[in-house]
Amino acid sequence: MNEPYKPVTREAEFLRLLATHDAQIAACVHALIPLWNDAEDVLQDTRTRLWEQFDQFEPGSNFAAWARTVARYQVRGYYTQQGRERMTFSPEVVEAISARIDSEPDAGEYSEALVHCVRLLSKKHQLLLHQHYTQGMKLPEIAELSGRSLSGLYSTFTRIRGQLLGCVRRRLSGESEQS
């Protein structure tokens, strides 16, 4: 019988959960604070606060939701400190943005849906995506290598992206999974 992996220490469990959900927490903070440097400062403070309050986290509950709540409190603190020094979001706007973020699927769900949808593409289209996004080849380089026109390749990528977008949306909404 294989038991699920359980980290040996509290620190290891925190780091595992933070690594899993850090991009989502960062997206939440950056959506609420328009200035990059300020958002990064608040994000760092949020990570510190998460660690300080980790003993209050209920194991087995939703870490991402808990972390976003802590992040929202850090954002509120940021806006309280800013006061009238800079243009800031009202508490109502912060809550509206936060509610929208909470209602969105997390990055893991998007990633799983995208991987599924890429597998539904033809091998030729999968190769094009691999060349561009994994190998970092520029479209003119791919066009030359494949003997295709650059405008034709741009059109192909536009169609592929449209197919992937539609497929991911259908998959996340639970509809039929055909690309």
Side-chain angles (χ1 to χ4, degrees):
M1 289 188 197
N2 289 337
E3 291 186 33
Y5 169 75
K6 293 184 181 178
V8 177
T9 64
R10 179 173 167 258
E11 292 85 2
E13 176 66 2
F14 174 78
L15 291 173
R16 183 187 70 77
L17 289 167
L18 183 62
T20 301
H21 301 286
D22 195 52
Q24 190 178 8
I25 299 163
C28 175
V29 171
H30 279 278
L32 296 169
I33 299 177
L35 298 173
W36 180 267
N37 289 338
D38 289 353
E40 284 296 308
D41 289 345
V42 171
L43 184 56
Q44 188 59 43
D45 291 344
T46 298
R47 291 177 183 127
T48 301
R49 179 67 67 184
L50 288 170
W51 170 242
E52 292 170 351
Q53 296 182 346
F54 189 60
D55 60 333
Q56 297 171 22
F57 172 69
E58 199 63 41
S61 63
N62 187 335
F63 180 84
W66 176 73
R68 285 192 312 268
T69 299
V70 172
R72 281 195 297 273
Y73 280 108
Q74 293 299 118
V75 168
R76 283 185 193 149
Y78 162 81
Y79 280 118
T80 299
Q81 283 180 334
Q82 294 304 309
R84 298 200 181 270
E85 293 176 26
R86 298 184 190 168
M87 182 178 79
T88 59
F89 291 134
S90 71
E92 294 79 18
V93 170
V94 170
E95 285 306 313
I97 293 171
S98 297
R100 177 63 191 252
I101 290 168
D102 288 344
S103 70
E104 291 292 317
D106 68 34
E109 290 178 77
Y110 278 116
S111 295
E112 288 172 19
L114 182 58
V115 167
H116 171 82
C117 293
V118 167
R119 288 183 181 144
L120 295 176
L121 293 173
S122 70
K123 294 296 180 198
K124 183 171 79 173
H125 286 169
Q126 288 180 30
L127 176 62
L128 289 173
L129 292 175
H130 177 75
Q131 289 172 321
H132 185 56
Y133 292 108
T134 305
Q135 294 179 337
M137 293 174 68
K138 304 284 185 215
L139 292 185
E141 187 180 1
I142 297 170
E144 184 178 323
L145 182 67
S146 65
R148 299 174 67 164
S149 73
L150 184 57
S151 63
L153 192 60
Y154 277 119
S155 296
T156 299
F157 267 88
T158 298
R159 281 193 310 278
I160 292 170
R161 289 181 187 122
Q163 287 176 331
L164 290 174
L165 178 61
C167 178
V168 167
R169 285 181 174 164
R170 286 189 301 276
R171 182 137 175 107
L172 291 175
S173 71
E175 292 178 23
S176 166
E177 298 175 6
Q178 297 185 2
S179 69

